[in-house]
Amino acid sequence: MATEYDLVILGGGTGGYVAAIRAAQLGLKTAVVEKEKLGGTCLHKGCIPSKALLRSAEIYATVKRSEEFGITVSDAALNFAKVQERKEKIVSQLHKGVQHLMKKGKIDVYEGKGRILGPSIFSPLPGTISVEMNSGCDNEMLIPKNVLLATGSRPRTLPGLDIDGEYVLTSDEALVFKELPSSIIIVGGGVIGVEWASMLTDFGVSVTILEYAERILPTEDAEISKEMERLFKKKGIQVNTGAKVLPETLQKENGVTITAMINEKLCEFQGDKLLLSVGRQANVEGIGLENTDVVLENGVIKTNEYYQTKESHIYAIGDCIGGIQLAHVASHEGMTAVEHLAGVMPHLLDYSLIPSCVYSHPEAAKVGFTEAEAIAKGYKVKIGKFSFRAIGKALVFGESDGFVKIVANAENDDVLGVHMIGPNVTDLISEAGLARVLDATPWEIAHSIHPHPSLSEIMGEAALAVDGKAIHG
Ligand code: FAD
Ligand code: NAD
């Protein structure tokens, strides 16, 4: 017995479940096939649990400096089991929310592993999907008019650094730590490496970063990487850049030892554990792509701007198509794909308008081009930069490190990029995102009145600084 659908979505992560809701809103009979839990990486192994841990770490670090605020706390102690319990509670609450949204949208959820079997006599395009049910019941057969692949990604590993769950871990294993190690080596100083380095340091763990590139956060503006490295060193994190890790030197006995080549010297590092954070790999295996004409390029599914694969009724979105692997990107791609297949002309995504954030302490955030990218694209740029040190609310917060940098087009005043490091910048970046969408100039940003005292005043000052007119700088 097979069930027919307008749309079957493989993967109920952020991309998949948001696409399902949009499809239901558009009147499509929709099913989601999810082999683990609705909410996917973001809800269960990524954004939410990591930010819950980061928040506890931040509170712990703040309590430890409470004397600065005139408050004496004599017995601040970390109860890591409670920290994990709080994280689980938040995840579970949001998981229930997603399940409720599926019911509300009358979206059928199949708990199992989905696979495209290819065209059948019932449905030549795109064919049948079989679901190997987690319950062990017989496979379900689904016959969709359209398929959306939203199977996400998993941690990339390095040959020779096999994940054993005890000594060598990825963020998946680290998220469920029962107790904290006393020291850790983090291989990869990108977003995950930096967030975990910050969190573990704030929890009191001794952290060493080994980053292959010449700077941590190598895709951020160079000045942001430099400031993050400076502030990380101030926190006591050992930051090693230009580090070529030699997996064959890994030794595991009461901890790990590994050697890296840095500036042509062999340097040995020791820690209780090693966390590997060297990027993510698309989940494209075992989903039946061999039964389709879908094309893979560099390990990710190739699509056009409407997220159609080479088979026009099979769409793909989110981490499994590579590009910017973020939750808000996956969900917007999902909505765009669904609107297109439903015959509604979607608004295409402009990837240069997408903000991205790093939730370390300090936080970092950006939208648009870095200064180097803008110059490489041929723009003549002018820069406005303003420090949190001159922002009253930052001093009140006790968080005055960091700055905002605006990269503007010197010829027509367009804002090309905004880069931030400091307190609450993962929220402040939304103003810069809106400014980019509305094509606002620095003058317009500065003349949108920012309340005093607020951290947002820094946007107005950085915008004035583009033309050398900052008031407090
Ligand atoms: P996923 O969320 O990975 O969902 C894919 C789903 O498909 C999974 O649930 C999987 O079980 C399911 N699946 C796979 N194959 C099958 C199959 N054959 N049948 C059925 N189901 C299948 N992004 C942000 O924007 N902000 C953050 O703060 C952030 N923090 C992160 C922190 C960490 C530690 C990590 C690892 C990632 C973080 N990300 C963050 C990235 C974000 O989690 C991903 O970009 C996002 O989850 C991608 O959504 P997706 O729907 O494409 O894939
Ligand atoms: P990443 O691409 O951000 O960083 C990987 C880092 O590892 C890079 O700096 C790279 O130079 C380095 N590297 C690669 N090979 C190496 C080697 N052999 N030795 C040492 N360093 C090496 O990837 P990630 O940090 O693993 O994160 C994965 C994805 O998850 C990213 O795409 C990111 O967007 C997403 N994510 C987002 C957030 C957020 O939005 N706050 C948080 C966590 C993860």
Side-chain angles (χ1 to χ4, degrees), residues 248-323:
E248 64 279 14
T249 63
L250 177 74
Q251 285 177 41
K252 301 190 269 189
E253 208 184 312
N254 297 322
V256 294
T257 309
I258 196 158
T259 302
M261 178 82 83
I262 303 174
N263 291 330
E264 295 178 14
K265 279 197 202 123
L266 290 174
C267 309
E268 194 181 83
F269 298 92
Q270 285 177 321
D272 285 353
K273 302 203 183 276
L274 185 149
L275 174 72
L276 202 54
S277 47
V278 292
R280 294 184 60 89
Q281 178 175 347
N283 293 327
V284 292
E285 305 84 359
I287 54 175
L289 294 186
E290 63 283 5
N291 302 324
T292 70
D293 288 333
V294 172
V295 173
L296 290 178
E297 201 171 74
N298 299 322
V300 301
I301 299 170
K302 193 176 169 194
T303 69
N304 65 13
E305 69 271 38
Y306 300 110
Y307 309 105
Q308 284 170 299
T309 64
K310 197 172 169 211
E311 282 202 31
S312 60
H313 292 259
I314 303 181
Y315 289 70
I317 53 116
D319 280 12
C320 69
I321 65 166

Side-chain angles (χ1 to χ4, degrees), residues 136-179:
C137 294
D138 288 348
N139 283 7
E140 292 276 354
M141 291 295 167
L142 315 179
I143 301 187
K145 291 197 180 97
N146 297 280
V147 171
L148 177 66
L149 301 171
T151 49
S153 66
R154 60 185 184 277
R156 186 168 85 83
T157 53
L158 292 178
L161 289 185
D162 297 333
I163 307 305
D164 60 24
E166 190 187 352
Y167 290 118
V168 183
L169 324 163
T170 68
S171 56
D172 285 0
E173 292 76 31
L175 271 173
V176 291
F177 271 151
K178 288 209 165 41
E179 49 193 54

Side-chain angles (χ1 to χ4, degrees), residues 9-17 33-48 50-51 110 112-115 150-155 171-172 175 191-192 195-196 280 283 285-287 317-320 324-331 333 357 359:
I9 301 175
L10 284 199
T14 317
Y17 89 71
V33 182
E34 171 52 57
K35 70 180 168 68
E36 291 177 21
K37 285 182 179 170
L38 282 176
T41 304
C42 178
L43 179 51
H44 300 282
K45 300 174 186 170
C47 328
I48 299 296
S50 64
K51 270 79 234 179
Y110 291 86
K113 194 171 174 200
R115 184 164 177 271
T151 49
S153 66
R154 60 185 184 277
S171 56
D172 285 0
L175 271 173
V191 195
I192 294 182
E195 288 186 354
W196 279 85
R280 294 184 60 89
N283 293 327
E285 305 84 359
I287 54 175
I317 53 116
D319 280 12
C320 69
I324 305 178
Q325 292 177 312
L326 294 175
H328 42 288
V329 175
S331 55
E333 289 173 347
C357 299
Y359 296 82

Side-chain angles (χ1 to χ4, degrees), residues 48-314:
I48 299 296
S50 64
K51 270 79 234 179
L53 295 183
L54 274 154
R55 174 74 176 142
S56 288
E58 185 192 7
I59 301 261
Y60 185 49
T62 307
V63 168
K64 282 200 278 188
R65 49 184 279 243
S66 65
E67 283 290 340
E68 263 178 54
F69 296 84
I71 298 162
T72 304
V73 179
S74 46
D75 57 354
L78 179 64
N79 181 341
F80 194 65
K82 271 257 162 81
V83 169
Q84 287 286 27
E85 209 179 290
R86 176 176 183 274
K87 177 202 84 180
E88 292 300 333
K89 207 170 145 196
I90 294 166
V91 170
S92 155
Q93 186 176 336
L94 291 170
H95 184 212
K96 283 192 190 111
V98 179
Q99 288 170 316
H100 167 74
L101 289 173
M102 294 297 103
K103 282 205 182 96
K104 192 176 152 208
K106 300 193 172 38
I107 296 157
D108 291 341
V109 177
Y110 291 86
E111 294 178 1
K113 194 171 174 200
R115 184 164 177 271
I116 302 177
L117 295 181
S120 70
I121 47 165
F122 307 110
S123 166
L125 276 176
T128 315
I129 288 192
S130 87
V131 185
E132 194 184 311
M133 299 297 286
N134 292 346
S135 60
C137 294
D138 288 348
N139 283 7
E140 292 276 354
M141 291 295 167
L142 315 179
I143 301 187
K145 291 197 180 97
N146 297 280
V147 171
L148 177 66
L149 301 171
T151 49
S153 66
R154 60 185 184 277
R156 186 168 85 83
T157 53
L158 292 178
L161 289 185
D162 297 333
I163 307 305
D164 60 24
E166 190 187 352
Y167 290 118
V168 183
L169 324 163
T170 68
S171 56
D172 285 0
E173 292 76 31
L175 271 173
V176 291
F177 271 151
K178 288 209 165 41
E179 49 193 54
L180 288 165
S182 58
S183 61
I184 195 159
I185 299 167
I186 299 183
V187 176
V191 195
I192 294 182
V194 161
E195 288 186 354
W196 279 85
S198 171
M199 174 216 300
L200 292 172
T201 302
D202 284 348
F203 276 140
V205 177
S206 162
V207 176
T208 302
I209 297 179
L210 300 178
E211 164 57 49
Y212 182 77
E214 289 309 314
R215 53 191 175 95
I216 54 171
L217 298 177
T219 55
E220 297 292 319
D221 189 273
E223 288 192 77
I224 299 288
S225 297
K226 193 170 162 203
E227 180 72 348
M228 187 65 85
E229 180 169 338
R230 184 182 78 78
L231 296 173
F232 265 20
K233 286 182 170 162
K234 202 166 127 189
K235 270 166 100 94
I237 298 172
Q238 265 198 59
V239 181
N240 300 278
T241 53
K244 186 175 187 312
V245 171
L246 305 173
E248 64 279 14
T249 63
L250 177 74
Q251 285 177 41
K252 301 190 269 189
E253 208 184 312
N254 297 322
V256 294
T257 309
I258 196 158
T259 302
M261 178 82 83
I262 303 174
N263 291 330
E264 295 178 14
K265 279 197 202 123
L266 290 174
C267 309
E268 194 181 83
F269 298 92
Q270 285 177 321
D272 285 353
K273 302 203 183 276
L274 185 149
L275 174 72
L276 202 54
S277 47
V278 292
R280 294 184 60 89
Q281 178 175 347
N283 293 327
V284 292
E285 305 84 359
I287 54 175
L289 294 186
E290 63 283 5
N291 302 324
T292 70
D293 288 333
V294 172
V295 173
L296 290 178
E297 201 171 74
N298 299 322
V300 301
I301 299 170
K302 193 176 169 194
T303 69
N304 65 13
E305 69 271 38
Y306 300 110
Y307 309 105
Q308 284 170 299
T309 64
K310 197 172 169 211
E311 282 202 31
S312 60
H313 292 259
I314 303 181

